[in-house]
Every structure is written in structure tokens, then in C-alpha cells.
Amino acid sequence: MTSLTLLCLAVTLGFGAISQRVCGMGMGLVAVPFFVLATGPVLGVFTVNLAATVTGLAVCYSLRNDILWDRWRTIAWWSIVGTLPGVLIVAWLPSALLQIVIGSFLVLALITSVWLVRYRFPIPRQALGATGFVGGLLNCTVGQAAPAMVLYQRATRWDQRTFQATLQPSFLVMNIASLVAKGVGVDLPPIPMGALVFFATVTGATCLGIVAGEILARHVSSELARKFAFAVALAGAAATLFRGILAAMQG
């Protein structure tokens, strides 16, 4: 890996952190494709999980007054449970097949939600736990928990302000669980340019993005943030599908 490549990766992390602060999500969408391409799927998703953990801590503190902690507890617990089969899938299932299946399902579900949001359906109480489980599994396998969370938001009409805030400690738990599980159950490939330089760059770029996002968020309305969040989730699902198809064609 060259210094220019590492700089490009740092820039994507900065933009990912800005998106995370402005609309509550986006680190996975912005950073995962570039990191997977440059460092491979295992180290790529692992690194983004690490950067998202740093981002989650900062954004969680910034939005702490709007967090619905009762909902967070349900999401957090079930996301940890969902991480366990996720790490097994990463170790055993071909990456291309996994991304095609998950990406296809998420794209279809999000597009369908545009129509379904016009109607009210009874949402079972267990749906929040199921969403946390799926979010944890997706975060561990493809680095994309946001589409599952946005589906739940749209189905329940969860307001953007508290939804965005509650996502932050939820994503924080998902990423920590994923990092711990992969550190135990998955062998990481060699880290380019040395671990110290690589992770120092990752951390520095993420922190700069958080500061920029904090400034930008003051000028973005809740409605615009909600629309941006949906667009980010849909793009993330489409990117997952595209990466899977590309990997299958190359394989």
C-alpha cells in the first residue's frame, strides 16, 4: 500500500464520520467499499468497525440527551446475539455469495418500504429485538447495519431526532461486539505499512471527520437528515449487492 492510497482511505473515513454525525449513519457505506478494495474484505470491514467505534463514542456523547435508552438496551442485547452467527458466516461462507444475498434482500426491502410507509400496520413488540439481531449480524458480515435500522424506523415512524441519537450507542455496541468476535474467531491478514502508521491514520482521519460533522450538523434540518439517512441506507444495500456480484464475476 502506498502513502497516496492510505491518504485516500483516510479521506473516506473523514467523510464517513461526517455522514455519521449528520444523519446518524454512513460510515459503513462511505468507507467499506474503499477499504475492502484496498485491504481485502476481512481487514477492511474490521478497520471500518474500529473507526465506527471511535465515531460512535463521540457522536453518542454529543446526542446523549436524545437517546431512548430503553430501546437501546433491546437493540444492544440482540445485536450482540446476532454477532455470534455473523462471525461464523464470515469464517465459513463465501463472501461474494453472502453479499449478493444480503444486498438483494436489503435493496428490495428498502424500496418496498417507500410504498409501505403510506400505510399503518401493527408492529409486534418483538420487532425491535429482531431488528437488533439482524443489525448485529449484518454489521459483522458486510459492515452495513444501517439498512435494517432504517426499515424499522420507517415501519414504526420513529422520529429522526431520537432515532438518530439512539443509533449511536447501538452501533457502538455492534462494532465492539464485531471487533471482539473477529479478534477471537477470525485471522486478520497482514496490516499494510505497519499497524502503528495504519491505525494512527485511521484514528486521526476519523476524529477530524467527527469535528467537521459536528459543525455541519448545526445547519441540517431533521427532515433533510431523515431523507439523507434513507438514501445512505439504500446506497449501502446497493453497494453490498454490487460488491458481491463483482466478486463473483472475478472469482
Side-chain angles (χ1 to χ4, degrees):
M1 176 183 290
T2 65
S3 298
L4 179 59
T5 302
L6 187 60
L7 176 61
C8 292
L9 293 178
V11 171
T12 64
L13 283 178
F15 278 113
I18 291 172
S19 175
Q20 191 79 19
R21 176 59 185 89
V22 171
C23 71
M25 60 190 68
M27 177 63 80
L29 166 66
V30 175
V32 165
F34 292 95
F35 271 83
V36 168
L37 181 63
T39 66
V42 176
L43 180 59
V45 174
F46 178 87
T47 305
V48 176
N49 285 156
L50 179 62
T53 300
V54 176
T55 306
L57 282 170
V59 179
C60 183
Y61 178 79
S62 178
L63 302 178
R64 62 192 181 280
N65 293 329
D66 293 326
I67 297 172
L68 301 181
W69 292 106
D70 55 337
R71 295 192 184 187
W72 168 78
R73 282 189 288 271
T74 301
I75 296 171
W77 165 249
W78 283 104
S79 69
I80 293 173
V81 177
T83 299
L84 300 178
V87 76
L88 295 177
I89 290 173
V90 169
W92 294 343
L93 199 66
S95 177
L97 176 61
L98 175 66
Q99 292 182 100
I100 290 173
V101 172
I102 291 177
S104 300
F105 170 77
L106 291 175
V107 168
L108 179 62
L110 284 167
I111 292 175
T112 302
S113 74
V114 175
W115 173 75
L116 291 178
V117 77
R118 303 175 186 175
Y119 306 94
R120 285 193 175 275
F121 298 96
I123 306 297
R125 187 175 58 181
Q126 296 81 0
L128 183 59
T131 302
F133 178 89
V134 173
L137 189 150
L138 293 178
N139 189 68
C140 184
T141 53
V142 294
Q144 294 285 355
M149 305 308 299
V150 169
L151 279 173
Y152 181 84
Q153 181 202 20
R154 293 180 68 84
T156 60
R157 292 173 171 79
W158 188 349
D159 73 279
Q160 178 64 26
R161 181 176 58 84
T162 58
F163 170 70
Q164 179 175 331
T166 307
L167 278 186
Q168 304 316 305
S170 301
F171 285 157
L172 183 60
V173 170
M174 291 180 192
N175 285 306
I176 291 175
S178 182
L179 287 169
V180 171
K182 288 178 180 178
V184 173
V186 177
D187 292 328
L188 292 177
I191 298 174
M193 301 186 72
L196 181 61
V197 173
F198 184 76
F199 287 116
T201 304
V202 165
T203 304
T206 302
C207 291
L208 288 175
I210 292 169
V211 173
E214 191 68 36
I215 297 172
L216 185 61
R218 300 170 188 169
H219 307 287
V220 176
S221 68
S222 180
E223 177 62 19
L224 180 59
R226 184 187 66 79
K227 292 179 179 179
F228 187 39
F230 178 79
V232 166
L234 183 59
T240 299
L241 173 59
F242 178 76
R243 289 200 310 269
I245 294 174
L246 188 61
M249 293 176 61
Q250 292 175 342

